[in-house]
């Protein structure tokens, strides 16, 4: 009997220990859940817009109290940590979006890491005189709501992260659903880099499942102080109706004008390089060529030598139109960003090798000339004079004021076209991507805010300009 009592006591003791251990595990689990915002599984990834923005707001309040040296450190750590990941990110982007070329995305990502400006872009202005001193300095907005495209998802996200953090902000990224897996991975990894670097989590956030509805909710959220929209005209227009400060990067249809004074061989090579980069999905890429009649045959010949396929049969050209342009006059997304070989195969047009571009001669009102195709298809329009060519370029660019290029040795013409086009980017005697700082001077950006006027954005665009006056000094002149 005593033996049975002993066994019973031991059994009860064992059960009590199990219960207590289970309670400890449950308590620890509850503490972990409480420490991380509800719904968050990966760093910076949330299930609702409000949860994400509230977490970013808390993070930004901590970040705003940090020194400029802290901002410089986190940006340097992002550059260093992302550099070994460039090839993988490029591969994942092509796999998910089905657009562009891996090698070209590697170039764009390296450009982003190398030439996106940081804290050094926040320049202080000062005025002094008999009545004291006035400073103009750039300070954080708070939480920025940023919309990113599927065409350049990783580049835009990294570029915006560097510039917006440099200005002291946190960011809610409303990413394109067509690149959600890559974008979510990138936000999560950037959060880990930032947390390891400076100990602050959720400085950049996004949703597990992005949608149009969540983007609209973000635009109207009271704790979002600035909207930065990199996308089509529709989403920019919607952002402008939010009542908030908006930086909007809209559409472009950049023409390339070549006159009779140009270095024709170089012009052809530059145009092919610019227009074919990542299969023409860059908004700054040449979308049409306007050529003076006396040099057009040589220009086309040199473009073929540089890697183009020339389509001369009108039936083949019409077949390409029927294939790539929908009845409503918009590009067929099935072929946006695809290799030229994919488009030619679908049209049953023979070719050799791996052509970079498909070119053809067209009138100025041809669908390929007036529609921003975002494909490696480049029409060549012939004109008889500089004045006619300038008028055609203005018509094709359609007042978007985005990008234009010109190849000429006539300085008066170069200057006149630059003044008339009024584009955010104007490239003279080079490939279009020189305007992004690739094989050209200057910093880079993947948010070119033409509709709202900021042009090539950088950290200073993501900061408020504030004025501070001292009336009792400081003047030593």
């Amino acid at each position: 009997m005593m033996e049975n009592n002993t066994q019973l006591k031991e059994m009860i003791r064992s059960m009590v220990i199990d219960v207590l251990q289970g309670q400890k595990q449950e308590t620890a689990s509850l503490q972990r859940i409480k420490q991380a915002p509800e719904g968050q599984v990966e760093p910076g990834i949330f299930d609702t817009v409000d949860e994400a923005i509230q977490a970013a707001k808390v993070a930004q309040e901590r970040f705003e109290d940090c020194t400029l040296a802290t901002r410089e450190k986190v940006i340097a750590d992002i550059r260093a940590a992302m550099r070994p990941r460039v090839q993988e990110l490029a591969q994942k982007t092509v796999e998910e979006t089905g657009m562009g070329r891996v090698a070209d995305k590697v170039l764009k990502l390296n450009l982003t890491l190398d030439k996106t400006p940081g804290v050094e872009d926040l320049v202080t202005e000062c005025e002094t005189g008999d009545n004291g001193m006035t400073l103009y300095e750039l300070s954080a907005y708070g939480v920025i709501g940023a919309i990113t495209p599927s065409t350049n998802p990783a580049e835009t996200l990294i570029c915006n992260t560097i510039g917006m953090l440099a200005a002291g902000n946190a960011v809610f990224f409303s990413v394109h659903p067509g690149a959600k897996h890559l974008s979510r991975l990138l936000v999560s990894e950037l959060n880990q880099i930032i947390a390891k670097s400076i100990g602050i989590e959720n400085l950049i956030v996004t949703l597990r499942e992005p949608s149009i509805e969540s983007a609209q909710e973000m635009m109207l959220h009271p704790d979002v102080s600035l909207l930065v929209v990199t996308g089509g005209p529709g989403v920019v227009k919607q952002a402008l109706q939010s009542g908030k400060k908006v930086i909007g990067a809209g559409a472009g249809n950049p023409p390339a004008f070549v006159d009779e004074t140009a270095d024709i061989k170089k012009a052809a090579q530059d145009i092919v390089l610019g227009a074919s980069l990542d299969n023409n999905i860059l908004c700054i890429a040449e979308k049409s060529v306007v050529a003076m009649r006396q040099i057009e045959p040589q220009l086309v010949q040199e473009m073929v030598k540089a890697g183009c396929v020339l389509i001369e049969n009108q039936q083949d050209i019409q077949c390409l139109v029927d294939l790539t342009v929908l009845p409503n006059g918009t590009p067929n997304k099935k072929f946006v960003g695809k290799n030229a070989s994919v488009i030619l195969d679908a049209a049953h047009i023979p070719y050799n090798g791996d052509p970079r571009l498909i070119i053809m001669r067209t009138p100025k009102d041809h669908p390929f000339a007036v529609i921003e195709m975002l494909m490696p298809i480049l029409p060549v329009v012939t004109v008889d004079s500089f004045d006619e060519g300038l008028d055609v370029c203005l018509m094709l660019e359609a007042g978007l004021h985005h990008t234009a290029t010109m190849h000429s040795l006539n300085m008066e013409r170069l200057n006149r076209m630059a003044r008339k086009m009024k584009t955010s980017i104007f490239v003279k005697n080079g490939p279009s991507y020189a305007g992004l700082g690739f094989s050209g001077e200057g910093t880079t950006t993947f948010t070119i805010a033409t509709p709202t006027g900021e042009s090539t954005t950088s950290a200073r665009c993501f900061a408020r300009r504030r004025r501070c006056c001292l009336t009792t000094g400081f003047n030593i002149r």
Side-chain angles (χ1 to χ4, degrees), residues 112-287:
T112 301
L113 293 170
D114 290 339
K115 301 193 76 173
T116 301
V119 175
E120 70 278 6
D121 194 57
L122 304 175
V123 179
T124 298
E125 302 169 69
C126 181
E127 297 177 3
T128 62
D130 294 339
N131 294 315
M133 177 176 68
T134 296
L135 287 177
Y136 298 90
E137 291 205 301
L138 300 168
S139 64
Y141 271 96
V143 179
I144 295 177
I147 294 178
T148 59
S150 60
T151 48
N152 304 292
E155 300 93 324
T156 304
L157 203 152
I158 293 172
C159 183
N160 281 352
T161 294
I162 291 173
M164 292 171 184
L165 291 188
N169 303 288
V171 195
F172 175 97
F173 280 108
S174 181
V175 304
H176 195 288
K180 66 178 182 180
H181 298 296
L182 168 79
S183 302
R184 194 170 68 206
L185 170 70
L186 196 48
V187 167
S188 178
E189 291 191 1
L190 286 169
N191 261 290
Q192 293 175 60
I193 295 166
I194 295 166
K196 182 179 179 181
S197 175
I198 60 173
I200 301 177
E201 297 180 353
N202 298 317
L203 268 178
I204 58 171
V205 297
T206 192
L207 296 185
R208 184 173 311 285
E209 293 295 332
S211 64
I212 295 174
E213 291 75 21
S214 64
Q216 293 170 335
E217 184 181 352
M218 177 271 288
M219 290 181 192
L220 298 175
H221 197 285
D223 289 321
V224 170
S225 302
L226 169 67
L227 298 175
V228 179
V229 181
T230 311
V235 69
V236 172
K237 181 179 180 181
Q238 191 168 26
L240 289 169
Q241 295 171 345
S242 68
K244 299 180 185 291
K245 163 72 175 176
V246 177
I247 295 175
N253 194 39
F257 189 12
V258 186
D259 77 5
E260 76 280 9
T261 72
D263 180 335
I264 304 304
K265 182 176 181 180
K266 181 181 184 301
Q269 292 172 342
D270 286 345
I271 291 169
V272 174
L273 287 170
S276 67
L277 183 70
D278 217 17
N279 291 337
N280 203 251
I281 58 176
L282 278 166
C283 53
I284 57 99
E286 296 89 341
K287 299 294 188 285

Side-chain angles (χ1 to χ4, degrees), residues 70-114:
T70 301
R71 297 186 201 176
E72 290 176 336
K73 180 182 186 305
V74 74
I75 291 169
D77 289 344
I78 287 172
R79 296 188 205 272
M82 283 289 104
R83 204 170 301 282
R85 301 294 313 284
V86 163
Q87 182 71 35
E88 181 186 351
L89 289 173
Q91 185 69 47
K92 286 181 180 295
T93 303
V94 173
E95 288 173 358
E96 182 171 7
T97 67
M99 293 185 282
R101 294 172 178 260
V102 172
D104 292 354
K105 292 190 184 298
V106 167
L107 292 175
K108 293 195 298 180
L109 284 163
N110 280 324
L111 176 68
T112 301
L113 293 170
D114 290 339

Side-chain angles (χ1 to χ4, degrees), residues 303-441:
M303 291 177 71
V304 171
K305 290 179 182 178
C308 297
V309 169
L310 174 64
I311 308 299
E312 297 184 280
N313 184 291
Q314 290 302 312
Q315 289 183 333
D316 287 342
I317 294 174
Q318 186 58 48
C319 179
L320 287 171
V321 173
D322 294 340
L323 187 72
T324 60
V325 179
L326 297 177
N328 64 0
T330 61
N332 186 341
K333 291 183 179 179
K334 180 180 177 181
F335 296 102
V336 169
K338 298 298 184 184
N339 288 3
S341 58
V342 172
I343 298 171
L344 292 168
D345 286 340
H348 305 292
I349 298 174
Y351 60 93
N352 295 318
D354 182 19
R356 295 287 295 185
L357 278 176
I358 305 166
I359 63 174
M360 69 286 294
R361 296 178 172 94
T362 72
K364 64 183 180 182
D365 58 352
H366 192 272
F368 287 157
V370 298
I371 299 171
E372 185 188 25
M373 294 296 292
L374 300 174
M375 303 175 197
I377 295 176
L378 194 66
V380 179
V381 179
T382 304
V383 295
D384 290 310
S385 69
F386 168 75
D387 287 336
E388 182 190 357
L390 180 55
D391 287 342
V392 170
C393 287
L394 287 165
M395 184 271 291
L396 294 176
E397 212 278 326
L400 297 169
H401 303 301
H402 196 291
T403 301
T405 66
M406 184 175 182
H407 300 265
S408 172
L409 299 181
N410 186 312
M411 292 303 296
E412 190 277 330
R413 286 180 176 178
L414 286 166
N415 188 57
R416 186 176 166 198
M417 182 170 177
R419 289 173 63 87
K420 288 289 186 180
M421 295 301 297
K422 295 183 174 65
T423 49
S424 294
I425 295 176
F426 187 76
V427 178
K428 305 172 183 178
N429 297 318
S432 56
Y433 53 62
L436 294 182
F438 182 41
S439 297
E441 288 301 319

